[in-house]
Amino acid sequence: MNPRTDARLGKIIRLLTDNATVVVSGTKLADEIGTTRSEVWRLVQQLRELGVEIAGHPATGYQLNAIPDLLLPEMLATSLQGTIFANSKTIHHFYKISSTNSEAMEAASQGAPEGSVFLAEQQTAGRGRGAHNWHSAQSVGIYCSVILRPLLPPAHVLVLSLAAGLAVQATVREVDDRVTVDLKWPNDLLINSKKFCGILTEMNAEVTRVRYIVVGIGINVNQRSFPPELKDSATSLRIATGTEWSRVELCVALLKSLDREYRALVEDPKAHQDILQRFENNSSCVRGCAVRIEENAEFEGITEGLDSRGFLQVRTKEGLRTVLSGTVRAI
Ligand code: BTN
């Protein structure tokens, strides 16, 4: 879907939300967005296909049946006042895109400011760590990437990425404290040992200075099932709790939580150590856990916490090893 159509769909929803108690004529909608009544009808049909419940037709006018749970800038910006994500002009929403991380990396390379947010209802080529895909079905998950421009050396970016995991964990706790979320180093979030969130952090840096970072967060929210290849390893907040979650509420809480972690990290010299400590405290497998590390060469051992840069330490028969990347499996 092209950005112009995206913007027009957003405007129709905003106009219908602003006038939620009345029927809005097709002519009024057409005038407001500068198009024809037949184009408004086509856009309304498109919104219905996306799951937005709109009553009416061109002759009678249109009315929203329910405020849709879409991640539109208008739905988010006012709740984000006081954070680096508050500017509705730099919150970008897409109904369908290849990958919000790719879009954000491209925008960052063109100078998009810190705090820019990229959200999609659906990704056609969602990317995970290590060349994996991220299953991104329409309007059931949060697919979110943010641009940050911290004055940090590249070696500190892992800690920022760990902080993003803590931010997601705090978000879920804030919205529903019955859910217990576990952190798996470096960037997986699990419920009942199944993954419901992954984080892909990408950066452009000089040797000593970060130019920009994109933190991409995928959260499985309202999925009721997964394709066969994922069903044993993936879960969603909906599956874990049996109830539907508001993606708008979660997304606002997520961006606020991310803002808190990020500001602390760039402003408070003690935050780096504090993040490492909290990650250890909130992860069941960072210390004293038997693991297999699937890196270039596989090895097994017992986890011994994080080093000062955030890398996982594993005690093997041959001695202490530092895990720089790869997959950690509890055994
Ligand atoms: C992983 O666990 O492998 C990381 C998954 C990251 C997925 C998110 S969804 C939003 C953003 N856009 C992408 O293409 N990927 C990240």
Side-chain angles (χ1 to χ4, degrees), residues 99-101 123 125-129 134 143-145 188 195 198-200 216-218:
S99 152
T100 55
N101 257 46
Q123 296 185 118
R127 296 190 287 115
R129 293 195 312 123
W134 186 257
Y143 317 117
C144 171
S145 303
D188 291 350
K195 181 162 165 175
I199 299 171
L200 176 65
I217 301 176

Side-chain angles (χ1 to χ4, degrees), residues 211-318:
R211 290 200 191 96
Y212 52 83
I213 298 176
V214 167
V215 181
I217 301 176
I219 305 182
N220 299 335
V221 184
N222 287 324
Q223 286 88 342
R224 287 163 186 253
S225 60
F226 287 92
E229 68 278 12
L230 290 177
K231 82 175 183 8
D232 293 336
S233 58
T235 191
S236 71
L237 294 168
R238 169 76 179 71
I239 292 171
T241 57
T243 51
E244 203 77 5
W245 287 54
S246 156
R247 289 183 313 137
V248 170
E249 183 187 5
L250 258 179
C251 191
V252 166
L254 170 67
L255 291 170
K256 282 185 172 171
S257 186
L258 206 52
D259 175 75
R260 276 194 298 274
E261 292 289 349
Y262 178 62
R263 276 178 200 245
L265 184 62
V266 292
E267 286 167 13
D268 177 0
K270 291 201 286 291
H272 182 113
Q273 186 51 41
D274 175 63
I275 288 165
L276 297 178
Q277 191 58 58
R278 279 187 294 131
F279 196 95
E280 278 206 36
N281 296 346
N282 287 286
S283 167
S284 66
C285 210
V286 163
R287 196 171 278 280
C289 186
V291 290
R292 179 180 314 110
I293 307 299
E294 296 169 0
E295 246 186 332
N296 298 336
E298 284 193 10
F299 62 93
E300 292 181 2
I302 308 289
T303 54
E304 263 192 29
L306 304 178
D307 74 7
S308 62
R309 301 158 302 170
F311 292 115
L312 184 66
Q313 306 276 91
V314 175
R315 175 72 55 189
T316 69
K317 285 196 198 101
E318 293 76 37

